[in-house]
């Protein structure tokens, strides 16, 4: 693996083999369904094109990109129609839907106006629009209401030849809470929706409802296609009851940095803005040159502000709970005081042997502090009062991405290095 960029003292290492293997595991969870790899949000911060290639190597046959621009970038980046079907579904009036159709991309229609917009694009492109009816079965977000569905179906029938209804889709509100009554209610509403679409004379080739959580905990809702997002990146969608390895997953992203400053301070020293952390003894402080401008959540501040985000120091993963783990060995410490724009501080302890330039890991390929010693994105989510999705997705564009496992997934390592040296995919 290449060393750190001398201009930036941190990096996000993305294991493409983990992405591939996670897709394989998810396909086993829903063996009768095709799998859509959801790569919206720059593939949850992991890198749009590298992740897309890795997911396809694992057996994904669809790619999902919420924004039109993301979907177009997949095609522009070399993902051909022979490689994968692509679906995009979140746009406002005036979006370049003609470009979408010319790029052979399927289009989600989530409102009555979207049907006419798709038809207009089809006229301009000279080819029909393949649309997936996105129906709101209870999430209360983007989607055709059940009251509006009959009118949309009538309009779709009037626009035959310009519009082909190739899919029906919806999205769960509470699949990450197994047993929640809304899951069965939405499943029934979706079944009724599919029946209504078929009675209207349409035969969609794919019907899809299940997200990551449903794919793993409610395989009966898989239908023809599952849309996997967070689980594909090796993070559990149900952290209250499982860790990634429960489902044969492993996290793909590791965020690590080099210590910028290591200094000894006396007991009673205040640390960072507001002095919300005070050292209880003579100790050694370490300064990590990352902050909220890099995506480190300010809500993961420590001391009087909360538990603080966890950081692995001391060289590697070890048994940090063992009494034999001496000073300088692998151990987890917490953010001390307020997270700043460009730096966070950690209390390394009175006998620390770390030096400036040593590598520390904020989170990586682990089931978490309680399970594997090393911190996970979920640990950071708990420290910040959020979800692991946000932790990985918010890793800033300025942080270089380094890709491993490129040979295993058929990616060009040299090409990826050139593209990612300055965060081009981030």
């Amino acid at each position: 693996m290449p060393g750190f960029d001398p201009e930036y003292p941190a990096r996000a290492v993305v294991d493409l083999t983990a992405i591939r293997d996670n897709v394989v595991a998810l396909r086993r969870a829903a063996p009768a369904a095709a799998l859509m790899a959801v790569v919206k949000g720059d593939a949850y911060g992991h890198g749009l094109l590298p992740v897309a290639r890795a997911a396809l190597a694992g057996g994904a046959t669809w790619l999902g990109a919420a924004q039109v621009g993301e979907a177009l970038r997949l095609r522009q980046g070399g993902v051909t129609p022979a490689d994968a079907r692509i679906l995009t579904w979140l746009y406002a009036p005036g979006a370049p839907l003609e470009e979408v159709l010319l790029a052979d991309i399927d289009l989600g229609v989530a409102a009555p106006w979207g049907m006419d917009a798709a038809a207009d694009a089809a006229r301009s492109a000279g080819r029909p629009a393949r649309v997936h009816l996105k129906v709101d079965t209870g999430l209360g977000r983007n989607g055709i209401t059940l009251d509006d569905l009959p009118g949309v179906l009538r309009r779709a029938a009037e626009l035959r030849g310009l519009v082909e209804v190739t899919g029906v889709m919806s999205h769960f509100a509470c699949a990450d809470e197994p047993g929640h009554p809304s899951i069965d209610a939405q499943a029934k509403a979706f079944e009724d929706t599919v029946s209504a679409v078929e009675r209207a004379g349409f035969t969609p080739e794919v019907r899809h409802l299940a997200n990551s959580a449903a794919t793993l905990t409610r395989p009966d809702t898989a239908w023809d296609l599952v849309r996997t997002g967070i689980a594909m990146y090796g993070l559990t969608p149900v952290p209250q009851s499982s860790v990634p390895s429960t489902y044969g997953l492993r996290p793909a992203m590791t965020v690590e940095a080099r210590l910028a400053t290591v200094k000894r301070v006396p007991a009673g020293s205040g640390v960072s803005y507001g002095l919300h952390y005070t050292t209880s003894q003579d100790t050694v402080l370490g300064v990590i040159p990352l902050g909220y401008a890099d995506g480190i959540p300010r809500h993961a501040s420590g001391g009087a502000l909360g538990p603080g985000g966890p950081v692995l120091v001391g060289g590697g993963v070890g048994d940090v709970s063992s009494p034999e783990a001496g000073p300088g060995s692998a151990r987890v410490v917490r953010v001390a005081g307020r997270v700043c724009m460009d730096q966070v501080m950690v209390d390394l302890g009175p006998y620390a042997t770390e030096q400036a330039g040593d590598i520390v890991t904020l989170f990586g390929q682990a089931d978490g502090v309680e399970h594997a010693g090393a911190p996970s994105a979920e640990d950071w989510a708990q420290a910040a009062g959020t979800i692991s999705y946000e932790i990985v997705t918010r890793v800033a564009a300025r942080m270089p991405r380094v890709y491993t496992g490129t040979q295993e997934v058929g990616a060009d390592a040299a090409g990826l290095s050139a593209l990612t040296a300055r965060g081009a995919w981030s």
Side-chain angles (χ1 to χ4, degrees):
M1 187 191 306
F4 280 79
D5 184 335
E7 297 181 9
Y8 198 91
R11 62 188 180 185
V13 181
V14 178
D15 183 349
L16 297 179
T17 304
I19 298 282
R20 180 201 65 186
D21 293 348
N22 292 337
V23 169
V24 171
L26 289 163
R27 289 176 61 215
R28 290 195 199 103
L35 185 140
M36 177 187 291
V38 179
V39 292
K40 64 182 182 178
D42 193 34
Y44 289 48
H46 292 66
L48 181 69
L49 281 166
V51 166
R53 293 178 182 132
L56 295 176
T61 54
W62 287 75
L63 298 173
Q67 303 281 357
V68 165
E70 295 172 319
L72 291 171
R73 283 195 292 277
L74 287 168
R75 289 287 189 239
Q76 293 159 0
V79 179
T80 70
D83 296 325
R85 293 277 289 276
I86 298 174
L87 173 67
T88 187
W89 59 86
L90 187 61
Y91 51 90
L97 301 187
E98 179 183 354
E99 292 182 43
V100 170
L101 302 189
L102 290 172
D104 204 7
I105 293 169
D106 287 39
L107 185 66
V109 168
W113 66 263
M115 191 62 69
D116 284 292
D120 289 343
R123 292 187 189 94
S124 298
R127 60 190 302 175
R130 295 195 305 267
V131 304
H132 297 225
L133 301 177
K134 191 173 192 299
V135 181
D136 182 1
T137 56
L139 177 58
R141 203 173 63 174
N142 197 40
I144 301 164
T145 67
L146 297 179
D147 287 343
D148 283 337
L149 181 61
V152 171
L153 291 173
R154 285 193 297 271
R155 187 59 177 148
E158 295 167 356
L159 294 169
R160 284 185 190 273
L162 289 171
V163 172
E164 298 175 357
V165 176
T166 57
V168 183
M169 62 188 292
S170 191
H171 195 53
F172 281 118
C174 301
D176 57 344
E177 301 177 44
H180 194 285
S182 70
I183 299 172
D184 284 338
Q186 282 194 260
K188 179 61 167 62
F190 186 70
E191 183 179 353
D192 293 344
T193 294
V194 170
S195 295
V197 171
E198 292 173 345
R199 285 196 304 272
F202 300 100
T203 307
E205 61 178 290
V206 286
R207 302 157 297 177
H208 44 115
L209 173 64
N211 56 3
S212 285
T215 299
L216 294 170
T217 67
R218 286 294 301 266
D220 60 302
T221 65
W223 288 84
D224 307 303
L225 177 68
V226 294
R227 303 186 307 268
T228 57
I230 195 66
M232 187 180 74
Y233 303 96
L235 300 172
T236 175
V238 282
Q240 70 276 22
S241 60
S242 69
V243 292
S245 64
T246 304
Y247 303 110
L249 308 172
R250 68 181 188 275
M253 180 187 286
T254 298
V255 171
E256 53 190 17
R258 302 180 67 196
L259 290 172
T261 301
V262 177
K263 60 184 180 183
R264 187 166 295 277
V265 299
S269 296
V271 179
S272 195
Y273 290 123
L275 304 179
H276 296 288
Y277 182 90
T278 303
T279 59
S280 60
Q281 58 186 332
D282 293 356
T283 192
V284 176
L285 294 179
V287 177
I288 302 171
L290 290 177
Y292 54 80
D294 306 280
I296 308 305
R298 193 167 181 264
H299 283 87
S301 298
L305 300 169
V311 179
L312 179 69
V313 302
V317 178
D319 183 3
V320 297
S321 63
S322 168
E324 287 77 28
S329 64
R331 62 201 187 279
V332 173
V333 296
R334 295 275 175 170
V335 170
R338 181 75 74 185
V339 173
C340 306
M341 181 179 289
D342 302 290
Q343 52 195 301
V344 296
M345 280 56 70
V346 289
D347 187 339
L348 296 169
Y351 305 108
T353 59
E354 284 75 31
Q355 300 178 8
D358 285 354
I359 296 173
V360 301
T361 301
L362 281 74
F363 60 84
Q365 292 189 329
D367 277 342
V369 172
E370 294 183 5
H371 303 276
S376 66
E378 178 60 31
D379 290 321
W380 274 84
Q382 292 180 15
T386 185
I387 56 177
S388 61
Y389 306 59
E390 183 178 354
I391 298 301
V392 292
T393 302
R394 70 184 293 157
V395 173
R398 74 178 186 174
M399 189 183 297
R401 269 61 165 175
V402 175
Y403 293 93
T404 64
T406 54
Q407 292 181 335
E408 288 86 346
V409 303
D412 184 305
L416 285 181
S417 296
L419 288 167
T420 59
R422 291 293 180 271
W425 292 116
S426 56

